């Protein structure tokens, strides 16, 4: 009965959550800043924070928003921010995290031109154009958003270390320490100096240095005490890199666990994801015993794994565990997470499962995620989304009433966007390849699409999700009658060890065959005609587009490469001092080098690249274009000013121009 009442209340609340739209989906619809994003709730449930489109300048900038939840909540109308702080100068908010004790963290980017002095990605000499990322602390009602301490509390801190953190440091919350009223643990990391851990007191802003991990170490800490519970480190021995995991010993130090040791080349996942309270038993996520990652219980006293996994999914990798942070049942397992087409949670706690089931019933066919919740579960922040629905934020109050917070893109209507489906297809050598297909808007079984676009993800050690794609690379074109396939080609991570390993040394070869075989599958299954297919990729996906343009017997009429690697011989140079990337991926990046095959160009290619990109420098695109521009008519190169590599380093005008340039290229040069 409760689920039916809850569902009825949610449907009623939704009636005012979204606005109707008469105009067709435009590039601006995907390019402009989200109405609201990155919403989170404090541990006490007395506030929300998030990033919104700044209402003082028609949403052209972003602002920090604070919702006061300290009193009764009126669920009859959408929640409105109590305080708004606009971005200042060139510094732009892109994410937020509510903490406790009325405090919050604010994540920003800002453009920078200057010398890096050997710190991070970019030129080692001369001046580099890039974006700097910085984190600020917000006080109660975000009346003030100030710098965090710069790490001077660290033992041995010097001017160069502090300068490197300023230029390329990354601040993260390691633990909110839910049982402590004012303290949290944060980390500051740079590729040059490793990761330093600090205890931060929210009541006075003071920090205490705790410990440090080198570039080849990682430390897991207790969410109860903030003390280390596991240490992972890489060492080169007998001609091979190995990963060692050490656990606390009875004598107070750490000792290595041989049963948890892996060789990097074998690509076994081995990660401590939790500890059983009051014991020396640890939860370990590993694919050592099966193709997919499962969670096992490891006994540090006997150095043995449980005979059977604590949690395993037959098709997908397990990705983590959720533990209670309440004092009365601290450390109790609430659920497990796994990565299917979207990330899902398997709740074993009856109360959390009941909440999830009720919300799932209210939003059939949607992806409902419980983001934050109070100890009594009477306030639950959750999001609802789908491939054709931008994420929307809601607050469940007293397990029965729902307050609307807002949608990221309320101007988009589900019927104007395409639904997605998850499939497997066979590559030419028989390997099963997962793929996410976004169907044309309004698609009915038997329809043939206007055209198809193969969109391989970046990485390549990454994967796609079947959730909402805010880039517009799928839905902008689905709304125009295209079918989009995102092949999870060999080399993709998160679909099992066999598929991941199969991409080693196959850049532009078997990895590329998988994309071509996906195009053939679309034709064979009646989705599109064989002469109406293009490929568009970004980063590694841009490499795949470069490769497609020079391979013989191309199934594509054209290629679109965004910020792609074109020169495998120079790729390792861009990794600079990122030693970890060299250790893990260095020997796997081999295959067909597009830059060495530009004389074989056989389809037109559109190339775009940002001049603030330090992850994949722009010379990759410029040099490839210069080599082919007189060989392949219709090809084009676009340099986008002040655009970085990651999406948080794109401006709205970058997104809008990219979508419109691709559409024009498809309609004209590609003959779609």
């Amino acid at each position: 009965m409760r689920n039916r009442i809850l569902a009825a209340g949610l449907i009623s609340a939704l009636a005012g959550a979204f606005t109707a739209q008469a105009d067709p989906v435009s590039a601006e619809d995907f390019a402009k800043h989200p109405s609201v994003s990155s919403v989170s709730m404090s541990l006490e449930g007395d506030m929300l924070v998030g990033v919104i489109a700044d209402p003082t300048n028609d949403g052209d900038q972003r602002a920090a928003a604070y919702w006061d939840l300290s009193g009764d909540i009126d669920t009859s109308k959408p929640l409105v921010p109590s305080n708004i702080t606009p971005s200042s100068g060139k510094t732009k908010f892109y994410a937020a995290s509510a903490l406790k004790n009325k405090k919050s963290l604010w994540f920003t980017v800002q453009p920078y031109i200057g010398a890096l002095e050997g710190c991070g990605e970019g030129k080692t000499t001369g001046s580099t154009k890039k974006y700097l990322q910085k984190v600020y602390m917000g006080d109660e009602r975000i009346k003030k958003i100030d710098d965090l301490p710069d790490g001077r509390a660290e033992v041995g801190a010097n001017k160069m270390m502090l300068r490197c953190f300023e230029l390329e440091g990354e601040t993260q919350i390691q633990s909110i320490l839910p049982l402590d009223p004012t303290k949290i643990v944060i980390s500051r990391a740079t590729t040059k100096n490793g990761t330093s851990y600090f205890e931060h007191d929210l009541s006075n802003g003071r920090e205490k240095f705790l410990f440090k991990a080198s570039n080849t170490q990682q430390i897991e800490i207790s969410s109860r005490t903030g003390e280390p519970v596991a240490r992972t480190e890489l060492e080169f021995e007998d001609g091979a890199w190995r990963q060692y995991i050490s656990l606390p010993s009875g004598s107070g130090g750490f000792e290595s666990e041989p049963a948890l040791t892996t060789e990097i080349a074998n690509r076994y996942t081995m990660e401590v994801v939790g500890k059983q309270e009051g014991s020396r038993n640890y939860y370990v996520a590993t694919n050592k015993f099966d193709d997919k990652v499962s969670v096992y219980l490891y006994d540090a006293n006997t150095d043995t794994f449980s005979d059977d996994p604590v949690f395993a999914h037959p098709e997908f990798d397990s990705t983590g565990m959720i533990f209670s942070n309440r004092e009365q049942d601290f450390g109790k397992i609430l659920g497990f997470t796994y990565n299917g087409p979207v990330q899902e949670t398997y709740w074993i706690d009856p109360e959390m499962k009941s909440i999830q089931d009720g919300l799932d019933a209210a939003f059939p066919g949607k992806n409902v995620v419980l983001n934050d919740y109070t100890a009594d579960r009477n306030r639950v922040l959750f999001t609802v989304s789908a491939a054709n629905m931008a994420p929307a934020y809601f607050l469940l109050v007293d397990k029965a009433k729902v307050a609307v917070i807002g949608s990221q893109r309320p101007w988009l209507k589900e019927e104007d966007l395409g639904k997605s489906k998850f499939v497997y297809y066979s590559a030419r050598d028989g390997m099963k390849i997962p793929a996410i297909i976004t169907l044309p808007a309004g698609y009915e079984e038997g329809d043939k699409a206007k055209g198809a676009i193969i969109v391989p993800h970046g990485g390549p050690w990454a994967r796609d999700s079947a959730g909402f794609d805010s880039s517009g690379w799928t839905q902008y074109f689905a709304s125009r009658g295209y079918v989009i396939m995102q092949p999870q080609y060999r080399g993709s991570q998160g679909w099992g060890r066999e598929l991941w390993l199969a991409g080693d040394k196959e850049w532009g070869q078997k990895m590329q065959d998988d994309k071509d075989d996906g195009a053939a599958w679309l034709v064979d299954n009646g989705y599109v005609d064989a002469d109406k297919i293009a490929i568009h990729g970004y980063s590694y996906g841009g490499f795949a587009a470069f490769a497609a343009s020079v391979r013989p017997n191309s199934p594509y009429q054209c290629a679109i490469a965004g910020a792609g690697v074109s020169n495998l011989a120079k790729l390792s140079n861009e990794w600079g001092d990122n030693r970890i990337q060299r250790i893990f991926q260095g020997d796997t990046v081999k295959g067909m080098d597009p830059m060495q095959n530009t004389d074989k160009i056989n389809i037109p290619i559109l190339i775009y690249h940002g001049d603030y990109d330090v992850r994949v420098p722009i010379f990759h695109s410029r040099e490839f274009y210069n080599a082919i521009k007189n060989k392949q008519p219709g090809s084009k190169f676009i340099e986008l000013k002040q655009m970085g590599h990651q999406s948080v380093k794109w401006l709205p005008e970058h997104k809008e121009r990219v979508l419109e340039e691709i559409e024009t290229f498809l309609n004209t040069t590609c003959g779609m």
Side-chain angles (χ1 to χ4, degrees), residues 384-445:
V384 180
S385 64
N388 60 343
M389 176 187 169
Y393 300 91
F394 301 90
L395 187 67
L396 178 63
V397 181
D398 298 331
K399 303 184 183 72
K401 298 176 291 183
V402 170
V404 175
I405 299 166
S407 167
Q408 286 187 7
R409 299 182 181 275
W411 48 85
L412 293 177
K413 294 193 298 183
E414 290 184 45
E415 58 266 29
D416 292 334
L417 305 176
K419 295 181 179 180
S420 71
K421 62 187 298 186
F422 178 70
V423 302
Y424 289 94
Y425 65 89
S426 295
R428 62 193 66 182
D429 62 358
M431 178 164 277
K432 294 294 183 184
I433 308 297
I436 298 162
I437 296 176
T438 303
L439 299 165
Y443 175 85
E444 294 184 6
E445 198 69 34

Side-chain angles (χ1 to χ4, degrees), residues 12-43:
S12 175
L14 267 178
F18 306 104
T19 59
Q21 171 185 310
D23 297 330
V25 177
S26 67
E28 184 186 10
D29 289 333
F30 287 99
K32 61 186 177 182
H33 293 305
S35 178
V36 59
S37 63
S38 190
V39 179
S40 63
M41 183 173 66
S42 63
L43 182 68

Side-chain angles (χ1 to χ4, degrees), residues 5 87 91 151 169 268 327 347 427 469 481 499 508 541 554 591:
I5 294 172
S87 294
T91 300
Y268 285 118
E327 190 167 6
W347 296 103
D469 173 22
L499 187 74
S554 174

Side-chain angles (χ1 to χ4, degrees), residues 336-476:
F336 299 85
T337 58
Y338 63 93
N339 258 347
V342 297
Q343 180 159 299
E344 299 194 48
T345 300
Y346 180 83
W347 296 103
I348 61 173
D349 177 77
E351 187 175 28
M352 297 302 295
K353 184 178 185 304
S354 175
I355 293 171
Q356 181 77 62
D357 289 347
L359 295 174
D360 287 343
F363 296 96
K366 301 293 190 291
N367 184 32
V368 179
V369 178
L370 311 186
N371 303 97
D372 298 311
Y373 34 85
T374 54
D376 59 10
R377 314 295 190 243
N378 282 331
R379 291 186 178 178
V380 179
L381 174 69
F382 67 97
T383 56
V384 180
S385 64
N388 60 343
M389 176 187 169
Y393 300 91
F394 301 90
L395 187 67
L396 178 63
V397 181
D398 298 331
K399 303 184 183 72
K401 298 176 291 183
V402 170
V404 175
I405 299 166
S407 167
Q408 286 187 7
R409 299 182 181 275
W411 48 85
L412 293 177
K413 294 193 298 183
E414 290 184 45
E415 58 266 29
D416 292 334
L417 305 176
K419 295 181 179 180
S420 71
K421 62 187 298 186
F422 178 70
V423 302
Y424 289 94
Y425 65 89
S426 295
R428 62 193 66 182
D429 62 358
M431 178 164 277
K432 294 294 183 184
I433 308 297
I436 298 162
I437 296 176
T438 303
L439 299 165
Y443 175 85
E444 294 184 6
E445 198 69 34
D447 288 353
K448 188 160 286 191
K450 169 184 177 178
I453 309 173
I454 306 299
V455 183
H457 59 73
W461 288 5
R463 53 156 288 165
D464 287 306
S465 166
F468 183 77
D469 173 22
S470 62
S471 71
W473 294 344
T474 58
Q475 291 293 358
Y476 179 77

Side-chain angles (χ1 to χ4, degrees), residues 190-438:
T190 68
T191 55
K192 193 177 186 70
N193 299 310
T195 303
S196 303
Y197 296 75
F198 299 85
E199 179 187 85
H200 183 98
D201 193 326
L202 296 171
S203 66
N204 55 31
R206 294 174 185 165
E207 286 190 351
K208 180 175 76 173
F209 174 67
L210 297 176
F211 37 81
K212 184 167 187 170
S214 72
N215 281 330
T216 55
Q217 292 179 326
Q218 181 177 320
I219 296 174
E220 299 296 327
I221 68 170
S222 165
S223 58
R224 178 186 284 276
T225 65
E227 296 174 350
V229 295
R231 185 179 66 211
T232 303
E233 51 195 322
L234 304 177
E235 292 186 12
F236 190 75
E237 293 181 348
D238 302 324
W241 282 97
R242 292 181 174 85
Q243 174 183 286
Y244 294 91
I245 294 179
S246 300
L247 301 175
S249 63
S251 60
F254 276 79
E255 61 182 10
S256 180
E257 299 289 327
L260 304 183
T261 299
T262 58
E263 195 165 308
I264 296 302
N266 292 333
R267 211 79 51 75
Y268 285 118
T269 297
M270 190 69 70
E271 180 183 1
V272 176
V273 293
K275 182 177 183 296
Q276 200 173 61
E277 287 285 299
S279 74
R280 293 195 69 220
N281 294 333
Y282 295 81
Y283 297 102
V284 176
T286 184
N287 55 6
K288 185 176 180 179
F289 310 112
D290 188 59
D291 182 58
K292 305 296 188 293
V293 176
S294 303
V295 178
Y296 288 81
L297 193 63
Y298 177 77
D299 187 335
N301 289 320
T302 61
D303 301 336
T304 57
F305 286 92
S306 55
D307 292 335
D308 297 312
V310 178
F311 177 80
H313 193 284
E315 287 189 72
F316 306 120
D317 282 349
S318 305
T319 54
M321 301 178 67
I322 301 173
F323 297 92
S324 171
N325 58 19
R326 302 186 298 190
E327 190 167 6
Q328 66 263 35
D329 59 358
F330 190 89
K332 172 189 172 184
I333 300 174
L334 301 180
F336 299 85
T337 58
Y338 63 93
N339 258 347
V342 297
Q343 180 159 299
E344 299 194 48
T345 300
Y346 180 83
W347 296 103
I348 61 173
D349 177 77
E351 187 175 28
M352 297 302 295
K353 184 178 185 304
S354 175
I355 293 171
Q356 181 77 62
D357 289 347
L359 295 174
D360 287 343
F363 296 96
K366 301 293 190 291
N367 184 32
V368 179
V369 178
L370 311 186
N371 303 97
D372 298 311
Y373 34 85
T374 54
D376 59 10
R377 314 295 190 243
N378 282 331
R379 291 186 178 178
V380 179
L381 174 69
F382 67 97
T383 56
V384 180
S385 64
N388 60 343
M389 176 187 169
Y393 300 91
F394 301 90
L395 187 67
L396 178 63
V397 181
D398 298 331
K399 303 184 183 72
K401 298 176 291 183
V402 170
V404 175
I405 299 166
S407 167
Q408 286 187 7
R409 299 182 181 275
W411 48 85
L412 293 177
K413 294 193 298 183
E414 290 184 45
E415 58 266 29
D416 292 334
L417 305 176
K419 295 181 179 180
S420 71
K421 62 187 298 186
F422 178 70
V423 302
Y424 289 94
Y425 65 89
S426 295
R428 62 193 66 182
D429 62 358
M431 178 164 277
K432 294 294 183 184
I433 308 297
I436 298 162
I437 296 176
T438 303

Side-chain angles (χ1 to χ4, degrees), residues 533-656:
I533 308 175
I535 183 171
H536 168 218
Y538 189 84
S539 196
Y540 165 83
F543 165 86
F546 284 133
S549 72
V550 299
R551 280 177 34 121
N553 305 314
S554 174
Y556 313 109
Q557 277 57 62
C558 61
I560 300 118
V565 172
S566 70
N567 192 324
L568 291 186
K570 292 183 178 179
L571 177 59
S572 59
N573 295 335
E574 281 88 77
W575 289 348
D577 57 0
N578 192 334
R579 190 181 182 197
I580 301 301
Q581 190 165 21
R582 293 202 307 271
I583 292 170
F584 278 87
Q585 280 190 283
D587 290 337
T588 72
V589 184
K590 293 180 173 63
M592 190 275 288
D593 192 332
M595 200 63 208
Q596 303 303 314
N597 290 276
T598 54
D599 60 316
K600 299 180 179 67
I601 185 84
N602 57 79
I603 57 174
I605 184 168
L606 171 65
I607 304 168
Y608 65 93
H609 212 128
D611 69 339
Y612 272 54
D613 192 337
V614 291
R615 178 64 50 83
V616 179
I618 197 170
F619 75 77
H620 279 278
S621 290
R622 185 180 290 119
E623 290 180 2
F624 187 89
Y625 176 70
N626 287 337
I628 63 94
K629 64 182 179 181
N630 295 324
K631 299 187 179 87
Q632 182 60 57
S635 295
K636 183 177 181 179
F637 171 55
I638 303 168
E639 179 176 334
L640 293 156
K641 300 297 183 183
Q642 211 175 91
M643 187 176 97
H645 194 77
Q646 296 93 333
S647 60
V648 298
K649 299 169 185 177
W650 285 40
L651 301 174
E653 53 263 37
H654 297 144
K655 292 182 69 174
E656 186 170 5

